[in-house]
Amino acid sequence: MTTIDNGVNVQALLDAREVLKGAPEAAQFTWRASSRWQNGVHSTTTIQNFFGLGQEQSHKRETVFTADHPEVFAAEDNGITPIEYLLVGLASCLTAGVASVAQNRGIQLRSVESTVEGDHDIRGILGADSDVRNGFNDIKVTFTIDADASQEDIEALVAQSQKRSAVFDALTNPTNVTVEVA
Amino acid sequence: MLERGEVANSWRHERWDSLRLLTPNWQSRLPGHRYDGPDPDGYMTMGEVIEFIEHFAAVSRSPVRTGTNVTSVRRTDDGYRVTTSHGEIGCRAVAIASGACNQPTVPQFTDAVPASVVQLTPFDYNGPAQLPDGAVLVVGASATGVQLAAELKASGRPVTLSVGEHVRLPRTYRGRDVLWWMDAAGVWDQRHDEVDDLTRARRLPSPQLIGSPERSTLDLNALAAMGVELVGRWAAVRDGRALFSGGLRNVFSLADLKMRRLLDTFDDWARAHGCEAEVDPPERFSSTHVPESARWQIDLRSGEIRAIVWATGFRPDYRWLDVPVVDAKGRLRHEGGVVDSPGLYALGLPVLRRRKSTFIYGVEDDAREVIDHLAGYLAARR
Ligand SMILES: Cc1cc2nc3c(=O)[nH]c(=O)nc-3n(C[C@H](O)[C@H](O)[C@H](O)COP(=O)(O)OP(=O)(O)OC[C@H]3O[C@@H](n4cnc5c(N)ncnc54)[C@H](O)[C@@H]3O)c2cc1C
């Protein structure tokens, strides 16, 4: 049997699944981001700490995300638009899923590329038409995958990756959101 | 044998009028007792099932005490104390064969559905005439959901079907019943200790099949062709609106891929067993057609939807079982029917010992093994 390596430690994930089956408290994670207004529609959001496995955790380093609007929105374009961050989240989550599922199924990947397109009617956010929603109307992800597997097995990888994706779920299903003033 | 109702009680009182078995007549058999009529490939009506089981009870001289409801089973020093509507019974061992589908399962948010919308479960549903005129939302696209959606649509009502993960199957493949292929290829005989992920296998929804005289396929393409509207899995109710998942395409892909893999195993089996000549050539079915744009919300206060039918599954009822062997999710803790309490046994639960465990014909092999264990247990303590 040839060993395949997509760089995913599937054994650790399978072990964690077994342990957490009997310890649901430890499976409760809270992800956090802190944001600060800069000027105009420009803001920066930093992420470093989160909670999980019963205690405070930390990423190796802090990451700073800059968000702004493009010049066609009469803004300075210091960074990408907030809604584009959703595309970043979706693409990276599905890609991670493809790699993990491939590792688990013994499929060697050579390249995984995807493009994500979110169709957005901005009349919603501008209040120009009350029948138009604020968010995306449709999101389309297209994967191009080179791997030691049949077309059908590759399609199955992508399907399973959606089935287990946190961001796919967060975008396709409603989520309770509470926004408060401290 | 204690039975709260009559012989074949679930088939008499917990099924809808038009239902036929989805297992073909040749397969719907009990030990030493099989269909011997003119239509082995047909599917029994409820009346025929009741007659079949009653006949079996008579010829096997099963000692059934009907009208005897078990209200409690407790452990004692040397066995169990069973309380029934006709008094108490002390016994050394108990086999639980009370069924896997005693109650319909419904999601928690049924309370949030406006009172103006009629809600029914398959246990309340007999036929379309019971429902108000107007559109119906059927929730769940497994065997029950697809059958009720088709029947309600044929009654002239607009029908919307909310679809989560499902098992797509053609009724016939290469000229044979799909259940024949699964039987021949050994799928149904696969044992609980051979299945990769037993928890998942036990949770697997029933396949999209109907037993009809035409032997027709009732997958989502067939329903869409009848004019049934497909929407995603019902995720929540917010402000009186039903919100459906936007992940419909992926549940289609998952089901299409799984079906194709299964058909491949049938083809492999036919080749390996040299019976290519006895069956028709391989077939491939078109992918589930994705609607142009599936609705992801319906305002339940608008009056559009007059009734909701919950075809969201069934679960067993163990409220009478006062032995701590039921887990937090309401499932009996057992190993192949040997329950986690000495002298307590179970039959007829999903993949109890084999994939076929919950079929009428599937219990025979399980029963033999479980009763062997039970007999051994009693002999050792004589
Ligand atoms: C809608 C539907 C369609 C199905 N179609 C098919 C099919 O086509 N082919 C097939 O093979 N299988 C089919 N099945 C599965 C079918 O349920 C089983 O094959 C079979 O009926 C299981 O028999 P059982 O005796 O284990 O359970 P049940 O038929 O449920 O019998 C259990 C009995 O226990 C009694 N009982 C329960 N609790 C108590 C108590 N506390 N005290 C006393 N008595 C009690 C009940 O009254 C009932 O009579 C279908 C199931 C459903 C729900």
Side-chain angles (χ1 to χ4, degrees):
Chain A
M1 197 185 124
T2 53
T3 51
I4 67 112
D5 186 8
N6 297 323
V8 182
N9 188 345
V10 164
Q11 197 50 49
L13 297 177
L14 294 175
D15 292 349
R17 172 163 88 174
E18 278 317 302
V19 171
L20 294 180
K21 260 186 198 166
E25 330 74 59
Q28 307 311 310
F29 275 63
T30 302
W31 305 103
R32 296 193 196 105
S34 328
S35 187
R36 178 183 293 274
W37 174 57
Q38 299 298 332
N39 184 42
V41 293
H42 174 201
S43 66
T44 49
T45 301
T46 54
I47 293 186
Q48 178 153 32
N49 301 320
F50 57 96
F51 180 89
L53 303 179
Q55 59 185 42
E56 281 300 318
Q57 307 276 354
S58 191
H59 284 290
K60 268 195 210 151
R61 60 188 84 80
E62 182 183 84
T63 312
V64 181
F65 298 92
T66 304
D68 202 346
H69 282 170
E71 287 182 345
V72 291
F73 283 8
E76 288 178 1
D77 206 4
N78 289 298
I80 65 171
T81 310
I83 200 165
E84 290 172 298
Y85 277 106
L86 292 180
L87 305 183
V88 176
L90 181 60
S92 48
C93 193
L94 291 176
T95 303
V98 166
S100 309
V101 178
Q103 182 78 43
N104 193 36
R105 294 188 178 173
I107 296 173
Q108 180 65 56
L109 298 172
R110 280 184 293 272
S111 80
V112 180
E113 285 170 17
S114 65
T115 54
V116 190
E117 285 178 316
D119 292 340
H120 191 197
D121 183 342
I122 66 162
R123 286 177 301 169
I125 50 173
L126 291 174
D129 185 338
S130 60
D131 291 336
V132 174
R133 71 177 289 186
N134 296 334
F136 288 123
N137 285 318
D138 255 305
I139 299 178
K140 183 159 198 255
V141 187
T142 311
F143 271 97
T144 309
I145 296 177
D146 181 14
D148 288 330
S150 67
Q151 177 69 17
E152 201 153 291
D153 286 346
I154 289 174
E155 282 171 20
L157 277 185
V158 174
Q160 184 65 19
S161 145
Q162 290 168 74
K163 181 172 161 171
R164 286 273 164 266
S165 165
V167 179
F168 183 85
D169 175 67
L171 281 173
T172 53
N173 289 306
T175 307
N176 269 321
V177 181
T178 308
V179 181
E180 285 176 339
V181 177
Chain B
M1 269 175 81
L2 307 180
E3 166 57 55
R4 62 182 168 193
E6 306 157 78
V7 168
N9 207 56
S10 58
W11 301 104
R12 290 174 198 272
H13 301 294
E14 294 169 1
R15 308 284 189 262
W16 54 98
D17 296 345
S18 66
L19 179 67
R20 285 171 181 263
L21 289 188
L22 48 79
T23 41
N25 290 333
W26 58 262
Q27 194 174 44
S28 305
R29 55 183 186 262
L30 287 164
H33 195 62
R34 56 177 64 233
Y35 175 87
D36 56 7
D39 186 16
D41 291 325
Y43 310 94
M44 288 182 206
T45 62
M46 287 307 99
E48 289 165 339
V49 179
I50 294 164
E51 218 172 277
F52 183 78
I53 296 177
E54 263 184 339
H55 191 61
F56 178 72
V59 297
S60 64
R61 289 206 288 275
S62 300
V64 188
R65 290 195 209 167
T66 53
T68 308
N69 190 22
V70 174
T71 53
S72 157
V73 170
R74 265 189 202 85
R75 254 205 89 75
T76 57
D77 291 342
D78 57 351
Y80 296 88
R81 176 140 298 270
V82 177
T83 311
T84 79
S85 50
H86 291 315
E88 299 212 336
I89 301 170
C91 52
R92 293 170 60 207
V94 174
I96 301 171
S98 52
C101 303
N102 306 119
Q103 287 172 301
T105 320
V106 293
Q108 265 170 357
F109 52 74
T110 54
D111 302 350
V113 171
S116 55
V117 180
V118 175
Q119 298 186 54
L120 290 175
T121 70
F123 276 23
D124 313 316
Y125 177 90
N126 299 313
Q130 224 180 329
L131 270 68
D133 284 338
V136 186
L137 175 55
V138 177
V139 190
S142 293
T144 302
V146 296
Q147 292 185 28
L148 299 190
E151 172 165 284
L152 287 162
K153 180 69 196 163
S155 77
R157 290 170 174 78
V159 173
T160 302
L161 178 64
S162 164
V163 182
E165 274 193 57
H166 55 273
V167 178
R168 180 183 178 195
L169 285 183
R171 178 71 264 186
T172 57
Y173 181 63
R174 303 180 69 175
R176 301 282 179 107
D177 199 291
V178 73
L179 299 184
W180 177 86
W181 283 101
M182 292 175 85
D183 189 43
V187 177
W188 294 128
D189 283 324
Q190 202 183 18
R191 292 178 52 91
H192 68 300
D193 43 16
E194 294 167 357
V195 172
D196 271 349
D197 186 341
L198 186 58
T199 315
R200 194 200 299 168
R202 285 183 169 160
R203 274 204 333 247
L204 200 68
S206 58
Q208 292 172 331
L209 285 177
I210 184 169
S212 66
E214 303 77 31
R215 300 175 85 201
S216 47
T217 292
L218 192 58
D219 57 12
L220 297 176
N221 284 344
L223 286 166
M226 292 172 65
V228 171
E229 177 194 19
L230 306 178
V231 297
R233 183 172 195 276
W234 188 343
V237 180
R238 195 181 281 164
D239 304 330
R241 286 167 186 273
L243 303 182
F244 305 108
S245 168
L248 192 56
R249 274 179 187 76
N250 195 47
V251 292
F252 290 175
S253 305
L254 286 164
D256 288 346
L257 286 160
K258 273 185 205 138
M259 179 183 70
R260 258 174 240 141
R261 266 204 302 271
L262 185 69
L263 300 183
D264 285 344
T265 64
F266 295 167
D267 293 342
D268 293 345
W269 180 88
R271 220 171 296 119
H273 289 76
C275 51
E276 290 279 7
E278 296 155 39
V279 292
D280 296 345
E283 300 170 74
R284 282 300 172 265
F285 304 97
S286 51
S287 297
T288 305
H289 179 72
V290 180
E292 205 54 64
S293 69
R295 287 200 278 179
W296 47 268
Q297 60 170 342
I298 292 179
D299 188 349
L300 296 172
R301 296 160 310 187
S302 72
E304 178 200 338
I305 298 292
R306 302 294 308 278
I308 294 171
V309 179
W310 298 105
T312 33
F314 302 95
R315 63 193 155 98
D317 179 2
Y318 295 121
R319 281 175 296 188
W320 47 269
L321 184 58
D322 297 312
V323 185
V325 288
V326 179
D327 72 15
K329 297 204 167 173
R331 294 174 304 214
L332 204 60
R333 280 202 311 276
H334 69 91
E335 267 293 318
V338 180
V339 181
D340 198 9
S341 174
L344 197 56
Y345 296 86
L347 284 167
L349 299 177
V351 202
L352 186 104
R353 280 186 178 240
R354 295 167 176 80
R355 283 202 190 263
K356 65 182 175 186
S357 292
T358 32
F359 283 125
I360 293 172
Y361 88 103
V363 75
E364 180 173 354
D365 291 342
D366 283 6
R368 208 164 270 130
E369 292 171 16
V370 167
I371 299 312
D372 267 356
H373 192 291
L374 187 154
Y377 169 82
L378 291 181
R381 279 154 196 262
R382 202 166 286 279

